[in-house]
Amino acid sequence: MTAIKQVSVTSAQHMKSLAGYLDRSSEKHDALDLDSQNLNDPENWAREMDRTRDAYGHNEPGRKGSKCTYCYHQIIGFNPDECDVNGGKLTRAGCMGFAREWVERYYPNQEAAWALHLEHSKDGTDRYAVHIAINRTDLETGRRLDEGRASRQKTLHASRMREMDARWGLSQLERGQRNSRSHARQESRGEQMARGAGFARSVGFETDQDHVRRVVRESVREVAASDAKNKMRALNETLEKRGVHMRLSRDTKAKKKDVVFEYRPTYDRRDGRGERIRVAAIRGHRLGRGFSIGGIQHALGAGMAMYRMAERAMDDGNDNDM
């Protein structure tokens, strides 16, 4: 599902920061494209919006003692899987068209300006995002835009975004699944803490999730290059020898089947009661798109018939000696 976030702009500093996102000449934010609605001078959108608010008396708080909301800063973050930089169908022009439809459909009487950016996440994932400035003044009614309290705004925006995604043929968020496979490898807080502590001890330190990724990746390559007839079964046996047990997920809530990797932690880990964790487990899709059942099947070159033959081997309940 395409993400939508809204922040109220209530200070001159915030307005300056927002202006940086919508300025084509900004070296810091590097806007790829710009567009606007109901503006005579889009390049000076902030000044024009300010004059409009001033004319309607909207540069002052609506209620005594409260902050004045000058405009809204909305961020539309597209699912990395949908973006053409990751092999998806959304081009730069497509993202800008999506943003224009969003503004025209839901804010037709507002002055608005928006810019497209290519964002780079800490986990190495790229995606497109559109930053939008929506002026508070409704040009038709002369009133301030009011979509209710923050909780109602979130519900309203999420509902509208689902409708937009459906019209554009974009993926919807599925229960029990991560929104983006490309973005699935972000480290958890626990993994980040483990990595930080590990670097202090050894340059070659790897977290448990990195350890499982490496073992699975090496095992998949080994089996893929072998002449094994049932490669899923062969992979299961190869992983067992390296201390990782692979089985099918037993989660009945998830719509799609996934693999679960069980392993013995490679360093001291404690649960909420302070007791040492002897055996841990993690689903394949949480390690990244290549570690889901589909990713592994693709890497092995295994067809569905072979996969079904291997199901029993993966989920037969046999215990390993971890």
Side-chain angles (χ1 to χ4, degrees):
M1 177 178 173
T2 305
I4 175 68
K5 178 182 178 181
Q6 176 171 292
V7 181
S8 299
V9 179
T10 60
S11 68
Q13 182 59 42
H14 192 165
M15 183 65 78
K16 182 179 179 181
S17 176
L18 177 56
Y21 280 102
L22 275 65
D23 183 356
R24 191 190 297 273
S25 64
S26 174
E27 295 181 359
K28 181 178 180 180
H29 299 296
D30 193 21
L32 301 176
D33 203 354
L34 302 172
D35 203 352
S36 65
Q37 172 185 273
N38 296 329
L39 290 171
N40 296 320
D41 187 9
E43 293 294 330
N44 294 306
W45 62 269
R47 182 185 304 172
E48 187 170 342
M49 288 185 184
D50 179 68
R51 289 174 177 173
T52 299
R53 290 192 306 272
D54 193 53
Y56 285 87
H58 294 164
N59 274 334
E60 299 295 333
R63 291 189 300 271
K64 186 177 181 180
S66 63
K67 290 184 177 181
C68 180
T69 297
Y70 303 111
C71 67
Y72 292 108
H73 177 193
Q74 290 188 348
I75 306 165
I76 296 178
F78 296 97
N79 187 328
D81 295 345
E82 309 280 9
C83 300
D84 61 3
V85 291
N86 297 308
K89 64 180 181 180
L90 272 179
T91 62
R92 297 182 181 185
C95 293
M96 290 298 285
F98 187 100
R100 171 162 285 281
E101 182 176 326
W102 171 266
V103 174
E104 289 181 342
R105 179 178 290 270
Y106 301 115
Y107 306 97
N109 303 322
Q110 254 65 39
E111 294 171 321
W114 58 94
L116 177 68
H117 295 265
L118 180 63
E119 297 186 342
H120 186 73
S121 302
K122 292 181 179 179
D123 65 345
T125 303
D126 289 331
R127 72 164 185 182
Y128 292 125
V130 176
H131 290 259
I132 311 173
I134 301 175
N135 207 15
R136 189 79 187 276
T137 303
D138 188 306
L139 298 176
E140 183 174 287
T141 66
R143 298 178 179 177
R144 301 175 202 249
L145 175 63
D146 185 5
E147 295 179 326
R149 294 180 179 274
S151 58
R152 183 182 181 280
Q153 290 175 6
K154 290 181 180 180
T155 302
L156 178 65
H157 293 164
S159 176
R160 290 174 173 175
M161 192 55 71
R162 280 193 292 270
E163 294 175 359
M164 286 282 293
D165 282 344
R167 284 195 296 274
W168 280 70
L170 302 180
S171 62
Q172 298 287 317
L173 182 62
E174 297 182 19
R175 184 177 181 182
Q177 301 294 325
R178 290 204 175 195
N179 192 19
S180 166
R181 293 174 297 168
S182 299
H183 210 47
R185 279 198 57 175
Q186 289 193 86
E187 294 181 336
S188 65
R189 184 178 180 182
E191 193 174 10
Q192 291 174 352
M193 293 174 63
R195 187 181 299 283
F199 277 144
R201 295 194 300 269
S202 171
V203 176
F205 174 83
E206 62 180 359
T207 67
D208 277 344
Q209 290 190 18
D210 279 346
H211 171 72
V212 175
R213 288 187 186 105
R214 179 176 56 79
V215 169
V216 172
R217 189 181 296 112
E218 292 174 353
S219 299
V220 166
R221 289 173 180 170
E222 178 181 324
V223 173
S226 72
D227 57 358
K229 294 182 178 180
N230 190 328
K231 295 193 175 184
M232 289 293 286
R233 184 187 294 275
L235 175 62
N236 191 44
E237 295 172 349
T238 302
L239 289 172
E240 292 280 0
K241 295 177 182 178
R242 299 183 179 184
V244 176
H245 177 60
M246 180 175 66
R247 62 173 175 79
L248 286 179
S249 170
R250 297 184 179 88
D251 186 356
T252 58
K253 295 181 180 179
K255 293 183 179 180
K256 296 181 180 179
K257 286 187 177 181
D258 196 9
V259 288
V260 175
F261 298 104
E262 296 176 346
Y263 59 95
R264 177 178 293 173
T266 58
Y267 50 91
D268 187 15
R269 288 174 54 186
R270 305 280 170 166
D271 60 21
R273 295 174 297 179
E275 298 181 0
R276 185 171 183 177
I277 298 175
R278 301 293 181 181
V279 177
I282 188 168
R283 291 185 189 178
H285 77 274
R286 293 187 178 275
L287 296 173
R289 64 188 306 171
F291 298 89
S292 64
I293 184 64
I296 291 175
Q297 183 181 336
H298 175 74
L300 291 176
M304 282 304 299
M306 186 178 296
Y307 164 66
R308 292 191 182 98
M309 291 172 58
E311 279 186 329
R312 190 172 300 173
M314 294 167 56
D315 199 27
D316 59 6
N318 292 336
D319 295 328
N320 58 339
D321 299 325
M322 289 197 300

